[in-house]
Amino acid sequence: MKPGRLIGKAILALAGFLAVFPLLWTALNALKNNVDIITRVPRLVFTPTSANISYILGRDSVLTGLYNSVVACGSAVLIGVVLGLPAAYAVARYPNRWAGDIQFFVLSLRFLPPVAVAIPLMVIWLQVGLYDTLPALIITYSLLTISVIMWLAIPAFQGVPKEIEEAAFVDGYGAYSVFWRIALPVAARSLAGAVAFSFVLVWNEFLIALMLSSSNAKTLPIVASELSQQGMNVPWGILNASVVLLSLPPLLFLGVLSGFLNSVFRQKKT
Amino acid sequence: MARRTSLPVTFVVPTIAILLVLSMVPTLYAIVIALQNRELSTPDYSWVWLSNFYDLFLDRRFLNAVWVSVKWEIVTVVATMVVAIGLGVLMFEVASPRLRNVYCLLFIIPVLLPRVSAAFVWKFAYHPLYGIATYPYRLITGGLIFDPLSKPATALFAVASVDVWQWGLFFAVIVLKLLETLPPQPIEAARLDHAKRWQIHAYVTLPMLKAPLISLMFVKMIESLRSFDLIYVMTRGGPGVATETLDMYAFSQGFIESGKVSYASAMAVLMMIATVITFTMLWKRVQA
């Protein structure tokens, strides 16, 4: 058994290393001059430079992309919260014969291939005159955020003990104030996870943004992918810096999301 | 809680109405476009009904894309589940609670990365001359060149490895959490019967987790269909058409090469029909 355990630990350590090392290496490359990146033997010791990062942060296209990403994702998540959370609560707490169908409908939105949605939307937005604008992107992303938030929030609301809500009704609360003052605060942790998850999803979205924007409404992933097409001399350091910038916002939610996973699986135990 | 209140109606109806409009309008419109002959370059169009679909089945590149998509699904779903179950069980067996927490955090990081970032990170790593992942090969062989992304035989697997890096590690965390929620008694009983550790998992714990594991696989099957960004950044469907999946081909037909929006839409409609039928059937079976 002993050597088996040792091998097991070694495999796990290797997997842990593989999980983060490529990203750390990218972050390191973002601090290197091109000569230190283009080497046959990877270089760990080098003179760091901030040129790549300041180049990235000084470019208008990157700043516009960052702005578009923040506005589009932020608004879509807000719409998702306003429309998705109450609907999820109603489905979780007032089950009727439609509840199963609603849940399946919300899930089935995930089956739709993004190309199948993006092609007609592109034609529609062109006809309406909203192609390549943030509102078009926000409306399209709302479909994504509403359905994801609903899908994750239904079990979160079901996890709230019914007794607490019953007690509130006995105290004379109406249905709406039970939602506001009891269900929302009690489920807050799981709901935050659901919201964070929907944000990460739209922040990382690429295909729809690529097809629905041509110049004004480009989001950060599109701008980052375009940096790689600048001529023959690949600006490795700059590319690495842009990858790091693009990756940072979702990583900020690491704590929220791992807490979310923990709370989801703790509920299942009972 | 059968109380008389307007809450369910005011909370559900507007949201579902908006979702229906937002999803049905593009879906129906996709079908309409697929039955016409629209192109990006000209505003004129007429109805051609099913001829786009007819052309598709004579298009060898389309048939290749179907085959690549099927390969992609099988490779990524199987590899993800193998990695997830393997690492999840390993963590359960050999890692202390504190170490488990550390691994869980580390394993969630890759899936949080935008696919575009993940694709770039590994595109650098797979660079034949300067890549960190190809460095061991250069070191051992004394400088021979290994270029996985530009060989038709390896390109699909090289891209798939990034997908598995993102999802396999993440699912390992979920498998571990699932194992932790199991009641300890059956495991104890099996141990008393001198079952080996791998036997306990093969015959006791994993069968107990059959339903959630099938759901996980279901989620991965859906997510695997959304690999456009990965392929777009890493290979653009190349070398040749070795990694050209359906969505990649639809995109290049509709936008890059010829602007045949209707042709691309016909492809997308076929994809939509195939996925909706397949996943609805699978879902009903999973639920039953």
Side-chain angles (χ1 to χ4, degrees):
Chain A
M1 231 39 228
K2 278 285 171 205
R5 276 183 84 82
L6 216 63
I7 294 172
K9 286 195 173 177
I11 295 177
L12 270 184
L14 180 72
F17 173 80
L18 277 179
V20 283
F21 180 71
L23 191 61
L24 289 179
W25 188 251
T26 308
L28 218 57
N29 276 349
L31 298 171
K32 287 178 183 173
N33 285 309
N34 240 2
V35 280
D36 288 320
I37 299 176
I38 305 181
T39 55
R40 298 250 165 172
V41 180
R43 214 170 270 180
L44 255 179
V45 182
F46 58 92
T47 342
T49 168
S50 61
N52 300 320
I53 295 162
S54 51
Y55 175 84
I56 281 289
L57 291 178
R59 275 185 69 107
D60 284 343
S61 66
V62 173
L63 293 181
T64 317
L66 187 64
Y67 171 81
N68 287 341
S69 270
V70 169
V71 172
C73 300
S75 319
V77 169
L78 201 68
I79 294 175
V81 168
V82 171
L83 289 172
L85 287 185
Y89 176 72
V91 172
R93 271 298 178 254
Y94 297 87
N96 55 30
R97 61 201 165 92
W98 300 102
D101 292 328
I102 291 176
Q103 268 177 288
F104 183 71
F105 167 64
V106 172
L107 176 75
S108 73
L109 294 178
R110 226 35 222 150
F111 306 166
L112 294 180
V115 228
V117 181
I119 295 172
L121 277 177
M122 182 184 169
V123 178
I124 293 172
W125 294 130
L126 273 170
Q127 281 172 345
V128 186
L130 280 178
Y131 176 74
D132 195 21
T133 63
L134 282 178
L137 213 51
I138 292 169
I139 294 172
T140 312
Y141 278 177
S142 299
L143 178 68
L144 227 72
T145 54
I146 299 172
S147 58
V148 168
I149 288 179
M150 263 189 84
W151 182 246
L152 293 172
I154 291 174
F157 281 123
Q158 282 166 343
V160 176
K162 270 191 176 158
E163 296 75 26
I164 309 182
E165 289 182 35
E166 289 293 345
F169 277 117
V170 173
D171 285 350
Y173 280 44
Y176 292 93
S177 47
V178 167
F179 168 71
W180 269 110
R181 302 210 194 149
I182 313 288
L184 268 187
V186 173
R189 233 188 117 175
S190 304
L191 296 180
V195 174
F197 192 84
S198 78
F199 176 83
V200 170
L201 218 65
V202 285
W203 182 273
N204 298 354
E205 202 287 323
F206 180 74
L207 173 61
I208 292 174
L210 181 68
M211 288 171 90
L212 292 189
S213 64
S214 61
S215 57
N216 299 321
K218 273 183 203 159
T219 57
L220 201 53
I222 313 296
V223 177
S225 85
E226 278 172 357
L227 282 174
S228 70
Q229 296 155 26
Q230 291 181 335
M232 293 294 285
N233 254 334
V234 184
W236 291 104
I238 292 165
L239 258 176
N240 279 290
S242 71
V243 169
V244 172
L245 175 69
L246 180 61
S247 310
L248 279 179
L251 288 179
L252 294 179
F253 291 100
L254 181 62
V256 182
L257 286 168
S258 87
F260 173 63
L261 282 181
N262 282 331
S263 70
V264 166
F265 287 98
R266 206 168 305 128
Q267 277 168 20
K268 275 204 173 151
K269 215 173 201 172
T270 51
Chain B
M1 251 194 295
R3 275 158 217 283
R4 210 170 292 158
T5 164
S6 60
L7 182 138
V9 175
T10 45
F11 276 11
V12 170
V13 171
T15 304
I16 296 299
I18 288 173
L19 278 184
L20 273 174
V21 171
L22 283 182
S23 61
M24 291 320 281
V25 168
T27 308
L28 296 176
Y29 207 60
I31 298 171
V32 169
I33 297 173
L35 300 174
Q36 299 169 339
N37 61 351
R38 281 183 197 244
E39 295 195 8
L40 274 183
S41 46
T42 54
D44 311 322
Y45 62 90
S46 57
W47 294 84
V48 297
W49 304 109
L50 292 177
S51 84
N52 282 320
F53 294 92
Y54 182 73
D55 291 346
L56 272 177
F57 286 100
L58 300 176
D59 182 347
R60 295 178 85 176
R61 219 172 131 190
F62 169 73
L63 299 176
N64 170 74
V66 172
W67 173 230
V68 171
S69 292
V70 171
K71 268 198 294 191
W72 171 265
E73 281 286 309
I74 294 171
V75 169
T76 55
V77 171
V78 171
T80 299
M81 294 312 289
V82 168
V83 167
I85 293 176
L87 288 178
V89 169
L90 262 184
M91 274 194 280
F92 188 71
E93 284 295 335
V94 303
S96 62
R98 184 186 276 179
L99 216 58
R100 281 184 196 177
N101 284 338
V102 174
Y103 280 129
C104 283
L105 271 187
L106 293 183
F107 287 171
I108 298 176
I109 290 175
V111 82
L112 288 183
L113 292 189
R115 308 275 276 177
V116 174
S117 292
F120 271 126
V121 164
W122 282 95
K123 203 180 169 185
F124 302 139
Y126 281 140
H127 193 283
L129 292 177
Y130 321 119
I132 189 83
T134 52
Y135 173 63
Y137 183 84
R138 293 198 299 276
L139 192 69
I140 294 167
T141 59
L144 282 181
I145 284 173
F146 174 55
D147 193 356
L149 286 175
S150 68
K151 282 209 192 75
T154 53
L156 185 84
F157 295 100
V159 182
S161 71
V162 183
D163 186 68
V164 176
W165 176 68
Q166 289 201 287
W167 287 93
L169 296 180
F170 172 56
F171 277 8
V173 175
I174 295 180
V175 171
L176 171 70
K177 309 251 170 203
L178 287 170
L179 285 170
E180 285 175 344
T181 59
L182 285 179
Q185 294 86 350
I187 304 177
E188 296 294 330
R191 230 166 243 168
L192 288 178
D193 288 339
H194 301 290
K196 294 205 170 74
R197 277 164 194 268
W198 69 265
Q199 287 173 323
I200 294 180
H201 288 292
Y203 298 116
V204 182
T205 61
L206 293 177
M208 286 171 82
L209 292 174
K210 200 175 151 204
L213 287 179
I214 289 177
S215 303
L216 266 189
M217 203 163 104
F218 186 72
V219 170
K220 182 60 191 126
M221 287 170 77
I222 297 176
E223 292 306 321
S224 276
L225 288 173
R226 309 172 169 255
S227 335
F228 176 86
D229 3 19
L230 217 53
I231 293 167
Y232 181 82
V233 171
M234 289 185 80
T235 63
R236 300 248 162 160
V241 289
T243 58
E244 190 169 74
T245 51
L246 277 171
D247 45 6
M248 191 70 223
Y249 184 43
F251 178 76
S252 54
Q253 278 298 305
F255 301 94
I256 300 175
E257 289 167 24
S258 38
K260 293 199 274 182
V261 182
S262 281
Y263 196 59
S265 196
M267 228 179 301
V269 167
L270 281 184
M271 270 174 87
M272 195 155 68
I273 294 171
T275 50
V276 168
I277 292 177
T278 317
F279 288 128
T280 307
M281 270 168 30
L282 280 173
W283 174 252
K284 300 282 178 206
R285 284 190 64 170
V286 170
Q287 290 301 86

